[in-house]
Every structure is written in C-alpha cells, then in structure tokens.
Amino acid sequence: MGKVGLGVAAGVAVATCAVAAVMVGRRVRRRRRWRRVVAVLEEFEEACGTHVGRLRQVVDAMAVEMHAGLASEGGSKLKMLLTFVDALPNGSEKGTYYALDLGGTNFRVLRVQLGGNSSDRSAILRHDVDRQAIPPHLMTSTSEDLFDFIASLLKQFVEKEEGFSELSAVKSMELGFTFSFPVKQMSILSGILIKWTKGFAIEDMVGKDVSEPLQQAMSKIGLNMRVAALVNDTVGTLALAHYHDEDTVAAVIIGTGTNACYLERADAIIKCQGLLTTSGCMVVNMEWGNFWSSHLPRTSYDVDLDANSPNPNDQGFEKMVSGMYLGEIVRRVILRMSEESDSFGPISSKLSAPLSLRTPLMAAMHEDDSPDLREVARILNDDLEIPDVPLKVRKLIVKVCDVVTRRAARLAAAGIVGILKKIGRDGSGGVTSGRTKGLSKVRRTVVAVEGGLYTNYSMFREYLNEAVTEILGEEISPHVILKDTEDGSGIGAALLAAAYSSPNVDTVQLL
C-alpha cells in the first residue's frame, strides 16, 4: 500500500506540475500577446508624432504650396481657386436679403435683416431659417426638376412674411447662393459644376453654370429674386466673421470635410495677371483638403485607408484631419490590435467593416471620463459588437482615440499658421509674390473656424488651440484669435448678397 500511495502521490504531483505548467504557459502567451497589442499602440503613436519642429515644417510646406498654386494652374495640389469676392461685408449693409444653402440631402433658405449701422458690426436685426429635405428622386433627376422644387419652397418662404409678396412684385430681392459642390467660379454670380458628390447625379448640370437653372426656376414662378453671389461655405464663413470683426483674414471649416479660404492680395495671384479688383484683394478658396507634403506624419493605416477609398491619392490632408476619416483610422488600429490578442474576443464582422466606427462615436469614447469607461464599453458592445472588453483594453482604445485626434488637430493648426505665414501674419514676414518681407509690426489677426469637429469636440479644439500657440510662440500667439463661427454658409451668403447688391459695387474683371 505504501508503494501504491507513493505512486499515486507522485502521479498527482506530476499532474499538478503539468497543469501548473500549462497555466504558466498560458499566462506567458497572454503577456506576449498583450505586449504585442501595446507595441501596436506605441508604434502608431510614434508614427503620428507632431512635435513642434515637424509642425513648423508643415507650416513652411503649406505656405510654399499656396504660392505655387497662385503662380500657375496645376502648380500645386492646392487649387487656390478665385472666388471673385473682393469686397467683404463691413457693417454698412442695410435691408433684407436671402440665402439658399445647398450642400447635401437637405437645403436651407434664410432671410436676414440688416440694420446698416457700421459702428455696430453686429447689426443683424433678425434672421429666419427654414430647412427642407430634398426628395431622393430629385437627386438623380434633371436640373429643372431639382430647381423647380427648390424655387417653389423658396417662394413659399418669402411669402410667409406679410407684405413680401407685394414687395417682390416691384423690387428684385437679392439672394446669396451657397453651393457646396466642386465648382469652378467664373464670376461672383456664376460657376461651372465640375462634378457632383454626396449622392447627387444630375448629368445635365455637369459642366454648366449652377446659378442659371436656379435663376430660370425663380423667374418661371414669378419670384422676383436675383442671385447676387454664388459662394462655397468657407467663403460664407469668412464673410460672416468679417462682418463682426474686420480683422478676420481667413476661414477654416473642420467638420465632415475640411477646407479653408483667406484674403489675398490681387497682385500675388500671378496665374491671373490682369486681375482687376476695387479693393486690391480677393478671397481665395484653397481647397486645402488636397494639400500634401512629405512632412505629414503618415502611417500604414493612412496608406491603407487611402488605397481603399473612392478617391485614392486625393484629399490626403483631409483624410488625416477631417471627421469623415478619424473614426475609420481608429477602427483600423483597433482591428490590428484585436488580431494580436484575444482580449477583444473573436474578431467581429462590424469591426472588420470599413467606416463602421463614426467619428462622433470615437469622440464619445475619447471624452468618456467615467472611472470604468462605461461609454467606451457600451460603444464597443453596441456599435462594434465587441462585448466584455477588459478595462485595461478600454484604456488602450481611449489612447488610440487621443493619438488620432491630437494628430488631426495639430496638423489643422499647422495649416492655419501656414496661411498666416503666407500673408505675413505669423510674425516672420511671410512669403509674398516670391519674396520674403522683413519683420513688421504684429497685427491683430482673426481666423474664423466652423464645423462640428471644432465646435462640438472639446478635446480636438483644445489640441488645435494649443498647437497654434506652440507654433507661433509667446510673442505672436496673443495677437492671433481663433473665433468659433456658426452658420457662415447661411447668414454669410446673405451678407455677401448684400455686399454685392449695390449698383455701386464694381464687378471683378479679368483683362
């Protein structure tokens, strides 16, 4: 019995050791997998680095590309489009003006009443807004069908105000038309549609003036209204901000997409020699989403995102900065992490699906300040079908969101300072018409910023503001104000209609 007992004991010991060895082995493998997950984050964070030296390189590259885009057509990835807006609202505008804002599956009509008190640069006495959905079938129909529908609703909106139907019979009303699709501007009144986006596919409008079918539709139903200004949303934002503050020199939109415009000297627009403006300046639409430089911190995730997008090798800056793409970059990093560890469980089909993590959800995870990151857990479970994610993994995901957001905001900041450098408002003199000017007195400079990413995402806004200060330095940054601006695409368009409604305003000409 003694020998048997010893044998059993020995067997149990061996089995126990084997079990222990298996458990130790599992723990070792889990640690290795976890280290690989952490390594994914560390590599990504390093590749996304935006130290101030690199940001200043991006600033210089932006200024150089702006100059190249002004020098010749196709000279830069920045299109640097003329807007034919050479006079911005200054507070003297008086009367009632209208705006039509068409940029997606909805459109808005606005009525803006201006007091005309130039000493009070906020003399917008009232504004009314009506939002309407565009029936899906009109997005692929004809230009006549689309604008007949819009004009009829615009007329209903005008006639809601007592007396306006009588007034319109004797006096033409002025309309600012915000059209947020790719357009080659031909004058303040007209522009040629390059292509449709956002689900529209009305073939008979491509290559045609976009103001003409609207004007015809309004005339057809007896609406005595004239398109006084055709603009995009960035120009409207600049107009509204300048109306409130004459030191405003640029406008940036950072939302689903991103773009910028600014006030440039006419003689710096070398590709349009013979450009005559009454003010000596013109607003330039940069289309900065297409900016590219080797100094941008591009990762393998950005390369893959671009390759699998509908527009590869296009809009490179936008794909690193705007709300359309930030959530997608985070999703791609999380997917890579889940491939390295079983902490995420089986890889879900949702996590593998492109664009399944929208940027508002990413922002909600990033800004989750609960001790156990409940909102992160909820979004992972409900939206990406990843249940029961451990707290340490949730913390890692928040860090991924932070890396992506910080890079985007700091690059946007570098872009803004690049504009200031080009026009000599960054304290260095700037690049103007191919020569560098000497140091001059620092002027107060306002940049209008609009878009949900900046307005609604506090961490993004903090990172952007912080980076502008960091790049400019303590001496210059107090003179640069980033001003949150709302509804430039609506009210700003009405203000431009007011600015260009006077018969005394000369039309910009090309000799």
Side-chain angles (χ1 to χ4, degrees):
M1 289 296 293
K3 290 183 178 180
V4 172
L6 285 173
V8 170
V12 169
V14 169
T16 302
C17 289
V19 170
V22 169
M23 293 177 66
V24 169
R26 286 177 179 172
R27 281 199 296 269
V28 169
R29 285 192 293 275
R30 277 199 296 268
R31 287 196 195 102
R32 285 175 180 165
R33 286 195 292 267
W34 177 248
R35 282 198 295 268
R36 288 202 296 269
V37 169
V38 173
V40 169
L41 173 60
E42 291 173 343
E43 290 168 10
F44 179 62
E45 186 174 16
E46 183 179 355
C48 287
T50 50
H51 55 80
V52 69
R54 168 171 265 175
L55 292 181
R56 287 183 176 137
Q57 289 175 321
V58 174
V59 167
D60 292 343
M62 179 69 79
V64 168
E65 288 298 313
M66 290 172 69
H67 181 75
L70 292 172
S72 63
E73 290 293 347
S76 166
K77 276 188 167 288
L78 295 178
K79 294 186 183 300
M80 306 300 286
L81 301 173
L82 276 66
T83 65
F84 294 87
V85 173
D86 71 325
L88 289 168
N90 59 20
S92 64
E93 296 80 11
K94 186 175 182 179
T96 300
Y97 299 89
Y98 290 84
L100 168 64
D101 181 6
L102 176 62
T105 55
N106 296 292
F107 72 94
R108 297 181 308 145
V109 290
L110 298 90
R111 180 191 298 113
V112 178
Q113 187 177 354
L114 305 173
N117 182 1
S118 58
S119 63
D120 177 8
R121 296 181 66 87
S122 58
I124 298 176
L125 302 182
R126 61 176 286 192
H127 79 278
D128 308 300
V129 185
D130 188 24
R131 181 185 297 270
Q132 298 284 347
I134 295 176
H137 73 277
L138 291 180
M139 296 169 64
T140 56
S141 183
T142 65
S143 58
E144 184 177 8
D145 289 342
L146 174 66
F147 285 106
D148 281 353
F149 173 76
I150 290 173
S152 66
L153 292 176
L154 179 57
K155 185 178 183 181
Q156 292 174 28
F157 178 78
V158 169
E159 293 179 345
K160 282 180 186 176
E161 187 78 1
E162 185 178 353
F164 271 95
S165 58
E166 291 82 2
L167 176 65
S168 67
V170 296
K171 181 181 178 182
S172 176
M173 294 170 289
E174 307 290 341
L175 177 74
F177 182 18
T178 301
F179 187 78
S180 299
F181 298 91
V183 163
K184 182 179 181 181
Q185 201 91 18
M186 305 304 292
S187 73
I188 187 62
L189 306 174
S190 63
I192 304 299
L193 176 63
I194 298 172
K195 64 178 179 180
W196 285 107
T197 57
K198 307 171 192 177
F200 281 77
I202 301 173
E203 291 301 324
D204 69 357
M205 270 193 71
V206 177
K208 306 285 182 61
D209 177 15
V210 300
S211 295
E212 187 176 338
L214 173 61
Q215 195 69 64
Q216 290 174 347
M218 292 190 296
S219 299
K220 189 190 304 184
I221 59 174
L223 179 57
N224 192 11
M225 186 173 283
R226 181 183 78 97
V227 176
L230 173 69
V231 298
N232 79 0
D233 47 4
T234 56
V235 178
T237 298
L238 178 58
L240 177 58
H242 189 272
Y243 181 81
H244 290 305
D245 191 327
E246 63 183 352
D247 288 333
T248 306
V249 298
V252 177
I253 290 182
I254 313 172
T256 303
T258 185
N259 192 16
C261 70
Y262 73 105
L263 198 58
E264 179 62 272
R265 295 188 349 267
D267 64 1
I269 307 174
I270 300 168
K271 64 184 177 183
C272 293
Q273 292 185 3
L275 181 65
L276 296 181
T277 73
T278 54
S279 65
C281 297
M282 179 174 286
V283 177
V284 173
N285 169 17
M286 293 174 61
E287 292 293 334
W288 86 348
N290 205 40
F291 168 68
W292 187 252
S293 164
S294 61
H295 298 299
L296 293 174
R298 200 182 199 202
T299 70
S300 60
Y301 305 97
D302 299 302
V303 173
D304 292 342
L305 183 153
D306 179 59
N308 291 288
S309 69
N311 56 339
N313 301 313
D314 198 20
Q315 298 297 101
F317 192 60
E318 183 170 79
K319 286 170 181 171
M320 300 176 79
V321 168
S322 76
M324 180 80 174
Y325 301 100
L326 301 191
E328 172 64 6
I329 297 169
V330 170
R331 181 197 69 83
R332 288 173 178 270
V333 178
I334 295 175
L335 178 60
R336 170 72 188 285
M337 287 178 166
S338 69
E339 292 168 347
E340 297 291 343
S341 171
D342 56 5
S343 299
F344 295 83
I347 298 175
S348 72
S349 57
K350 275 287 187 71
L351 180 59
S352 301
L355 303 175
S356 57
L357 180 63
R358 295 178 296 109
T359 297
L361 294 174
M362 181 207 78
M365 290 196 295
H366 188 199
E367 298 186 327
D368 183 0
D369 57 2
S370 61
D372 57 351
L373 299 176
R374 288 190 302 275
E375 184 65 6
V376 176
R378 186 195 66 77
I379 290 170
L380 291 175
N381 183 73
D382 296 352
D383 295 279
L384 293 179
E385 297 177 351
I386 310 174
D388 305 321
V389 176
L391 180 58
K392 68 175 184 177
V393 177
R394 281 176 259 161
K395 289 179 178 178
L396 219 59
I397 289 172
V398 171
K399 181 62 177 175
V400 173
C401 296
D402 185 73
V403 170
V404 171
T405 300
R406 189 170 190 270
R407 181 186 69 166
R410 289 173 67 82
L411 289 178
I416 290 170
V417 179
I419 297 173
L420 301 184
K421 184 179 181 68
K422 170 64 182 70
I423 60 176
R425 296 290 191 103
D426 71 328
S428 69
V431 181
T432 56
S433 298
R435 61 183 182 273
T436 303
K437 300 178 74 175
L439 292 175
S440 57
K441 182 180 177 182
V442 180
R443 296 173 59 187
R444 180 177 180 270
T445 298
V446 178
V447 177
V449 187
E450 186 171 4
L453 207 58
Y454 185 82
T455 302
N456 302 324
Y457 192 174
S458 60
M459 292 296 292
F460 184 96
R461 185 169 59 253
E462 288 174 19
Y463 281 144
L464 189 151
N465 294 345
E466 175 186 80
V468 168
T469 300
E470 193 178 337
I471 299 166
L472 289 172
E474 293 181 0
E475 291 187 10
I476 306 300
S477 59
H479 301 277
V480 174
I481 296 95
L482 302 184
K483 187 167 288 188
D484 194 352
T485 307
E486 293 185 15
D487 205 12
S489 61
I491 299 174
L495 289 170
L496 284 165
Y500 283 88
S501 65
S502 170
N504 296 321
V505 175
D506 293 330
T507 303
V508 177
Q509 298 180 50
L510 285 171
L511 291 182

